[in-house]
Amino acid sequence: MTTYSLTCVNDSQLSGSFAVFQKPLPSTMPGNVFSLAWFARPTAPNTRVTFTWGLDYSFTWSETGILKPGINFAASQVIPADPNALNQIELKKDDYGATTFSGLSAGGSLGSLTIKQLSNVKPNETAVGIGMAGSGTFAVQAQPNMTAVFTPHPNYWVIFGNFETGDVMDVEDVTNAVEVTYGGARTSRNAVLNLDNMITVS
């Protein structure tokens, strides 16, 4: 598997965190698909951090309550997934009333990741989503008798601010994020927060 890296350099006078997130594709799913702060690390002035990842996917859920920007999606369970093989899973309450994933199978649409939410899932209690490299990328509110279908399309954006991994983001409200692209043999990039507090990618 190819490993990608992004080295983030803080050349500004600001203290905060670099965060990397992905933007969702237009979706036919009911409800909002939220981007999560996929990776985030505090970076003091005149220091740098490096994020590394591969294209390994997972199913994830969290007890979020109502899913909205400003809350944190802390994964309660993470199950490895493959859009072209084991690509479907069910979210349910077990016999003891605990929320859990079960029934991992290859029954979903090829190239997508499908989460079936069973009838005993409580509304507005949990959120389900997918992750990459062990950390959540997207989430939707879990509701009974609903199916969430995510079609992975990796894209990468970097931002600097007050972020923690798993923060639910309002990407419509994000103005100073910069896209980071990888192509061909290019697997590493650098992002610099400059003295003008703008990010440049090289």
Side-chain angles (χ1 to χ4, degrees), residues 2-174:
T2 303
T3 299
Y4 298 87
S5 70
L6 176 64
T7 297
C8 297
V9 182
N10 184 355
D11 276 349
S12 76
Q13 297 177 339
L14 297 177
S15 292
S17 295
F18 281 103
V20 182
F21 66 97
Q22 300 190 31
K23 288 188 178 181
L25 291 173
S27 170
T28 56
M29 271 189 280
N32 288 332
V33 179
F34 288 101
S35 294
L36 305 176
W38 177 37
F39 299 128
R41 279 173 55 194
T43 314
N46 303 310
T47 67
R48 66 183 59 208
V49 295
T50 298
F51 303 106
T52 59
W53 65 90
L55 300 184
D56 50 326
Y57 295 100
S58 55
F59 294 112
T60 183
W61 68 268
S62 172
E63 286 188 2
T64 55
I66 293 178
L67 187 68
K68 59 186 178 184
I71 68 168
N72 189 270
F73 182 103
S76 301
Q77 193 174 12
V78 178
I79 303 288
D82 182 340
N84 299 310
L86 294 173
N87 60 7
Q88 180 172 289
I89 205 162
E90 295 174 344
L91 184 79
K92 68 174 188 178
K93 295 270 192 181
D94 69 11
D95 294 340
Y96 299 96
T99 302
T100 186
F101 277 140
S102 71
L104 181 65
S105 74
S109 298
L110 202 63
S112 295
L113 295 169
T114 300
I115 304 171
K116 292 192 165 185
Q117 299 138 68
L118 301 192
S119 60
N120 64 359
V121 169
K122 277 194 177 173
N124 300 327
E125 182 180 273
T126 54
V128 293
I130 62 168
M132 214 168 89
S135 185
T137 50
F138 301 113
V140 296
Q141 190 80 61
Q143 304 285 5
N145 301 309
M146 298 300 284
T147 299
V149 181
F150 298 89
T151 303
H153 180 76
N155 61 92
Y156 311 105
W157 297 76
V158 63
I159 191 170
F160 189 84
N162 183 23
F163 298 101
E164 292 181 14
T165 299
D167 281 354
V168 179
M169 305 184 67
D170 183 354
V171 294
E172 300 300 320
D173 202 36
V174 169

Side-chain angles (χ1 to χ4, degrees), residues 183-198:
R186 181 190 293 273
T187 58
S188 63
R189 301 294 303 264
N190 293 316
V192 179
L193 181 70
N194 299 294
L195 271 174
D196 62 2
N197 303 324
M198 301 294 284

